[in-house]
Each structure stands twice: as structure tokens, then as C-alpha cells.
Amino acid sequence: TAKVTATAAENGNFTGSIEGTFAIAKRDVAIDATQPAHLATKSFDQNDPDFEAALLFISGNDQLSGEAQTALRNELAIDLTVVRSDANNNEVRTHKGVLGLGQTQEALNAEFTNFNIAVTLGDFTITEASTEATLTLGADVKVYDGAAAASWATLSGAATGQGGYRIQYATAAVDEQGNVGSFGSFAEGAPTLTGVGAVAVKAQAVRDGYETIAATTADGQDYALMQVTPRTVTIDASQPDAKNGKVYGSADPTFDNATRTIDGQAGLPVDRLNQLTQELGAVSLAVVRTGAGVDENVGTYGSLTLTDEAQAAMKGLTNFDMQLRRGNFTIRPAGLEANLGIVQAGAPADVVYN
């Protein structure tokens, strides 16, 4: 704001003076640092683009003479180079208001006091980097052998470990009808299955700044079935001919132990077979005859079996399909000669014909 005093010239017609004030308002200047779409984004693995210079707009510029326009622009010696204020931050997200000038709006207004400068800042978006890498998922489907079933995911076309991709897994329960439940959260560490059952497994490879790689199986499924089925074990309580029966009235023989056959045992490694044998040791192979002392008449009875305790132990071995074959026991008639002493003891004494 300035004061102006006007004094009358000494020409005889006017005398005295008059004072007045007038103001010179700041001229508005707008600077736009926003960038066209192709320069306002990049992927994580790229360098920042070369930004276009900011645009400067002087208010009322079209009403000024060319000389005045040039004078104002010369006075506004502002570096319009656009920079990213968080150039060291490479997080995958939209970085709000980070594209601007080397000077802040406040600094510009403090330097160029004849102007009211407003700076429009631009956003910059960093997206996940794409990859051609693939992740292949697999899992064991096997008959129980005492060792845990495994799952795995193999990454091709990229590295894992420090600074590389991390492989994560998620699981879901599978019911007896094969229905797959809801998958849990992803975490590192490949799942295993120690006993009979089924688990669905998914996998993904993650890396900071890069798109997540979802695993597929060799046949294109998005999850693998890890499954362990029971191993069949047959226990046969039948006896050799010398012990599968007796003569009526005699004592039962001493029975041999039942035989036990593990399905597929010939193809098992020694350590696996030993493990199964140890687990099956919970079932006693001692053979008993049900009905002994009751079923003593001549006939054939399917009565050779294991003790009640052994049969209960069989039910507790849920990793096995336990099959029990009962053996027949035959009681044969006794010969008359063998009982002659009994007959003679009960006969009347000899007499002379009378």
C-alpha cells in the first residue's frame, strides 16, 4: 500500500493539496506438478521415470502486454523440475502428494513476495512387479508306512531365500466324503500328515514388491491332496492240523500264536517295516478258543480267535485296517475202545446159565 499526495500547480486557478492511498495486490500464480498417467506410476522393479516440468500459470496473464508477461516470468525464476520427495521409499502403494518442486510452497512464497503462489502436488503409484516364475505344488498320497506324508512346492524361474521369494502354505480339512473345508492362513513351512487322513494343501510364493505366485499342481489344480490310507494287516488265528481239533473228552491242545501279515511288507524298507511291527506289537497274537468248557460236544466250531484284550487293541490301531480271521476247531468222536474201561466197569458180572 502506498500514499500519494497531489499539490496544485501555481497557475492561479487552484491551491492546496490532497492525499490518497492505493494498493498493489499480489498476483496469483499456480504451479501444477501433477504428471500424465504414464509418468505417475512405475512397477517395483523399475527406476522412477523422467518427470515432465511443472506447469506455471500467471493469473490474468492474457490481459497483460507481452512486455509485462515477459517481465513477470523473468521475475518468477522458479526451477520447475519435478522431483519425488520420497524417492527412497519403494513401498507398493500410492504415495500421496510426493511429486513437487525442489522448494516447498511456503519457501516460494517467502522468496517471491509479489506473488501468491499455490503448488498442486502430484501422486505417484508403485505397483507390484510381474514375474514369469511358476510354482508347482505336490503332495504324498500313500498307504500308511509309519513315516509322515509330505507336501512340497517347487519354484521355477526365480530364486528363494534371502531377498528372494518365500514359499508359504495353507491347509484345509477333508472329510470322509472328500469335501474340502475352508483354507486357513498362509504360513511358511510345508505341512505333513503323520497318520491316516486327508488334508488339502495350497501354496504361494511371496516377495516384497512382487506379485504373489499362486501354486498349481501338475494337472492344473490350485490345491494338492495329501492323503494317507490305512495299511491292511491280516491276523490269522487258524491252527495247523495237529492243533485245530481234539478227540471228544480230551484236553485242548496248546495253540500256536496267530500269524500276522502286513500288506505290502515285501516292498517296505527295513526301518519302515520295523516301525510298523513295533506299532502292531500292541496286539497280542495269543490264540484262545471261545466256548472252551462249554462247546465240548462233537462238531466244528469257528472259535479260534484272539483274546478280548487283543481285539480291543486292534480297534485302537487307527492307522491300520485290521482283519481277523478266526480258525475252526473240530471235536471228533472218541472210539469205543478208548472207553472200554468205562463200559466194563458198568457191566454185570458173568453168570452161569440158569
Side-chain angles (χ1 to χ4, degrees), residues 23-108:
I24 301 175
K26 292 184 178 183
R27 186 171 293 276
D28 290 336
V29 174
I31 299 176
D32 186 359
T34 61
Q35 296 291 299
H38 70 286
L39 295 178
T41 186
K42 71 165 187 173
S43 66
F44 178 83
D45 60 343
Q46 294 176 330
N47 295 323
D48 284 6
D50 294 326
F51 301 116
E52 294 180 355
L55 301 177
L56 185 146
F57 303 94
I58 301 174
S59 176
N61 189 61
D62 56 345
Q63 300 174 11
L64 300 173
S65 66
E67 184 179 353
Q69 292 179 22
T70 300
L72 290 177
R73 287 193 173 272
N74 288 339
E75 185 177 348
L76 289 165
I78 299 174
D79 184 357
L80 296 177
T81 301
V82 173
V83 296
R84 180 158 75 93
S85 61
D86 66 343
N88 293 326
N89 187 334
N90 223 21
E91 293 180 29
V92 174
R93 60 181 175 87
T94 296
H95 299 239
K96 294 288 187 180
V98 297
L99 299 181
L101 306 183
Q103 290 177 280
T104 65
Q105 178 176 291
E106 291 75 13
L108 290 171

Side-chain angles (χ1 to χ4, degrees), residues 7-16:
T7 302
E10 296 181 359
N11 58 9
N13 293 325
F14 301 95
T15 62

Side-chain angles (χ1 to χ4, degrees), residues 7 51 66 75 82 116 118 137 187 197 223 226 258 261 285 326 344:
T7 302
F51 301 116
E75 185 177 348
V82 173
N116 182 29
L137 177 64
Y223 70 86
M226 180 168 56
T261 303
L285 298 179
R326 299 170 70 96
Q344 288 175 332

